[in-house]
């Protein structure tokens, strides 16, 4: 095998990569050693800002295959025929901790999926829970601040976590999910994924439907107890990364079956609760799961930094036949995600290989900026319209328009007849077995009992009592017992 030649960044061969240039034997290092300076300067700049949330992640490539006809609901080309396959990239992640955190922790998991479709990239950015803690994006920075490391102590503080939840009764449903048995997945392969938000599908006839995505793991749901997770995190800080990498390397390709719930758009206004409220699920008895296809992961990235850390997912990356809904949290994310990537990776992050479309042609008037690689040819114009056969609009909307009415202002979320912050949390509690309830109560009490302010504890207990009388009673007794020890 021919020996490859080590070069500098400019391509010049390197004569000596073991010794720095000095002024005589043992003398001081010389400024003229450009190879040394280049190596040190590049090393200092190897890291980019980590994500504020979802910093610690793992990823894999795969494909999505349509198994059922859904053309009655959407004209999206990648869903247009049974058997059609589309290349995908997925990024799993924890939410609250930093890049150096452990995988096996009690935290929601990100489930971000990029479809490299023939009509452009479609990004579906969800979690492993069907609901979330808040329903309005204006509260998101405050929520994340309360869950991240405290500015003074440098660690996650129960006082901050539970104080925020005390002032956010709508979080009770998600708190019940998080503190229950599914709060710590055994691996990324053994958890479900959800679009969480409500999205809009539009068919070829222009009919609009609201949908929710459910990716059901074909490996079966498996979770860890708090004790098992603590032990695993101590043995392998990267346990979920290790599991995913090794499973795919040995050919045990994980898969999920995609189902959707479909609501005709006309039914949304009179539904018994707000169908665009991210803190609520749609009961399957109202809108049953309908199978769409199968997601399979079959290839590991060759470089974690280039393909996992630089992967950029934006909920505003839609394709014809799919669009947003009036979900306020979704609408906030349409801006926030893309803006986060522009900060971390630069305005041209969409040109990075992991983010660039595979078959669709990108043709627009975006120019220049940091790391620009696609600036057009000599005679290409950078304005529109023009007389030089530049790309032009199609006049075909990606999705159906959303109706609006009323006055501008900072309005509270619209109330439907059965809107309530606690009912679905209580329903989730009542679905649990006695053993599951016991573990849920113990997990909540373990954190809530560490809160130093009695009024914060009482506010949170009020939420659990409102969800279910037995739920509240058991949490209250467990907290009291721990605080008396």
């Amino acid at each position: 095998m021919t020996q490859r030649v080590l070069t500098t960044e400019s391509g010049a061969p390197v004569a000596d990569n073991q010794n720095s240039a000095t002024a005589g034997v043992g003398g001081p290092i010389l400024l003229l050693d450009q190879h040394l300076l280049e190596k040190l300067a590049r090393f200092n700049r190897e890291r980019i800002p980590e994500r504020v949330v979802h910093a610690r992640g793992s990823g894999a490539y795969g494909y999505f295959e349509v198994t059922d006809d859904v053309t009655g609901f959407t004209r999206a080309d990648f869903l247009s025929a049974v058997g059609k396959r589309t290349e995908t990239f997925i990024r799993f992640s924890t939410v609250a901790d930093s890049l150096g955190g452990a995988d096996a922790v009690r935290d929601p998991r990100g489930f971000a999926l990029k479809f490299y479709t023939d009509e452009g990239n479609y990004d579906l950015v969800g979690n492993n829970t069907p609901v979330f803690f808040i329903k309005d994006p204006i509260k998101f920075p405050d929520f994340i601040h309360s869950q991240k490391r405290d500015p003074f102590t440098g660690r996650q503080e129960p006082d901050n976590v539970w104080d925020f939840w005390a002032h956010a009764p709508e979080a009770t449903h998600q708190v019940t999910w998080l503190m229950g048995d599914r709060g710590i997945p055994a691996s990324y392969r053994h958890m479900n994924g959800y679009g969480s938000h409500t999205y809009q599908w539009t068919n070829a006839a222009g009919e609009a439907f609201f949908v929710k995505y459910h990716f059901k793991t074909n490996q079966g749901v498996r979770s860890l107890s708090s004790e098992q997770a603590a032990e695993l995190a101590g043995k392998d800080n990267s346990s979920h990364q290790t599991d995913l990498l090794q499973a795919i390397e040995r050919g045990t390709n994980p898969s999920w079956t995609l189902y959707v719930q479909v609501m005709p758009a006309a039914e949304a206004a009179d539904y018994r609760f707000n169908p665009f409220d991210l803190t609520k699920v749609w009961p399957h008895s109202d809108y049953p799961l309908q199978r769409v296809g199968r997601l399979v992961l079959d290839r590991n990235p060759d470089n974690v930094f280039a393909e996992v850390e630089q992967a950029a997912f934006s909920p505003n990356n839609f394709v014809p036949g799919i669009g947003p809904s009036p979900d306020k949290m979704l609408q906030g994310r349409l801006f926030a995600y893309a803006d986060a990537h522009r900060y971390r990776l630069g305005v041209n992050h969409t040109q990075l290989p992991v983010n660039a479309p595979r078959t669709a042609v990108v043709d627009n008037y975006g120019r220049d900026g940091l790391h620009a690689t696609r600036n057009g040819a000599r005679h290409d114009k950078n304005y529109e319209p023009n007389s030089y056969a530049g790309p032009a609009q199609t006049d075909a909307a990606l999705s159906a328009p959303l109706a609006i009415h009323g006055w501008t202002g900072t309005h509270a979320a619209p109330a439907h007849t059965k809107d309530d912050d606690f009912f679905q949390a209580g329903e989730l509690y009542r679905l649990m077995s006695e053993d599951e309830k016991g573990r849920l109560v113990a997990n909540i009490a373990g954190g809530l009992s560490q809160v130093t302010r009695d009024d914060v504890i009482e506010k949170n207990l009020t939420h659990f009592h409102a969800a279910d009388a037995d739920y509240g009673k058991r949490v209250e007794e467990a907290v009291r017992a721990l605080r008396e020890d």
Side-chain angles (χ1 to χ4, degrees), residues 72-74 122 196-203 206-214 259-271 273-277 282 286-288 290 318 321-327 330-331 399-404 416:
F73 305 121
T74 179
Y122 172 47
S196 302
H197 296 287
T198 301
Y199 293 89
Q200 186 201 78
W201 277 7
T202 309
N203 65 16
E207 297 172 304
F209 303 86
F210 293 120
V211 300
K212 282 186 175 290
Y213 294 90
H214 300 250
Y259 299 87
V260 292
Q261 291 177 282
V262 181
M263 174 189 291
E267 297 181 12
D270 296 325
Y271 192 51
F273 60 82
N274 183 358
F276 310 115
D277 182 346
W282 298 354
D286 292 348
Y287 298 101
Q290 303 188 48
F318 293 114
I322 303 178
S325 78
D327 181 337
L330 171 61
Q331 291 174 12
S399 57
L402 300 173
I404 60 172
H416 291 228

Side-chain angles (χ1 to χ4, degrees), residues 121-135:
N121 290 350
Y122 172 47
D123 290 353
L124 182 59
V125 187
N127 284 329
N128 72 326
T129 61
V131 293
F132 196 61
F133 298 92
I134 54 176
K135 62 181 76 174

Side-chain angles (χ1 to χ4, degrees), residues 36-197:
L36 168 67
L37 301 185
E38 182 179 81
K39 282 187 71 174
L40 294 180
R42 184 177 183 86
F43 179 75
N44 285 343
R45 293 161 176 81
E46 282 184 357
R47 298 296 175 262
I48 60 176
E50 68 175 48
R51 291 167 169 86
V52 177
V53 289
H54 298 278
R56 183 175 182 83
S58 302
Y61 292 95
Y63 62 87
F64 179 79
E65 181 177 8
V66 179
T67 57
D68 294 78
D69 182 11
V70 291
T71 55
F73 305 121
T74 179
R75 61 185 176 93
D77 180 71
F78 79 102
L79 299 174
S80 62
V82 172
K84 184 160 188 172
R85 285 190 177 186
T86 300
E87 184 183 358
T88 62
F89 182 79
I90 195 167
R91 187 177 187 272
F92 303 107
S93 55
T94 53
V95 174
D97 213 341
S98 63
L99 187 59
D103 285 344
V105 293
R106 188 171 298 280
D107 200 10
R109 299 300 191 276
F111 195 98
L113 186 60
K114 187 181 297 290
F115 298 84
Y116 299 102
T117 88
D118 295 338
E119 298 180 300
N121 290 350
Y122 172 47
D123 290 353
L124 182 59
V125 187
N127 284 329
N128 72 326
T129 61
V131 293
F132 196 61
F133 298 92
I134 54 176
K135 62 181 76 174
D136 193 304
I138 202 168
K139 298 176 73 173
F140 188 76
D142 301 296
F143 165 62
I144 294 301
H145 287 164
S146 75
Q147 309 297 301
K148 299 284 279 187
R149 297 174 186 269
D150 182 85
F152 170 63
T153 67
R155 69 186 191 104
Q156 189 182 55
E157 290 292 346
D159 275 355
N160 301 349
V161 171
W162 289 97
D163 186 38
F164 182 89
W165 288 342
H167 292 87
E170 69 270 26
T172 309
H173 192 186
Q174 173 73 323
V175 170
T176 304
W177 270 89
L178 178 63
M179 297 299 174
D181 279 0
R182 296 194 183 190
I184 313 178
S187 77
Y188 291 131
R189 296 181 298 127
H190 294 94
M191 68 181 194
N192 293 335
Y194 302 89
S196 302
H197 296 287

Side-chain angles (χ1 to χ4, degrees), residues 340-353:
H341 303 317
R342 294 183 193 107
Y343 161 67
R344 293 183 62 245
L345 304 170
V347 71
N348 291 302
H349 66 272
T350 54
Q351 298 176 27
L352 295 170

Side-chain angles (χ1 to χ4, degrees), residues 318-384:
F318 293 114
V319 292
I322 303 178
S325 78
D327 181 337
K328 292 177 76 172
M329 279 295 293
L330 171 61
Q331 291 174 12
R333 295 174 83 198
L334 297 182
F335 162 76
Y337 273 61
D339 191 57
H341 303 317
R342 294 183 193 107
Y343 161 67
R344 293 183 62 245
L345 304 170
V347 71
N348 291 302
H349 66 272
T350 54
Q351 298 176 27
L352 295 170
V354 70
N355 299 322
R358 294 292 190 261
T359 56
V361 176
V362 176
D363 197 1
N364 58 42
Y365 297 93
R367 295 291 188 272
D368 304 334
L370 192 66
H371 302 148
T373 62
R374 190 186 66 244
N375 264 352
R378 175 183 296 188
H379 300 296
D380 287 339
K381 303 302 179 182
N382 65 344
Y383 58 88
E384 194 280 334

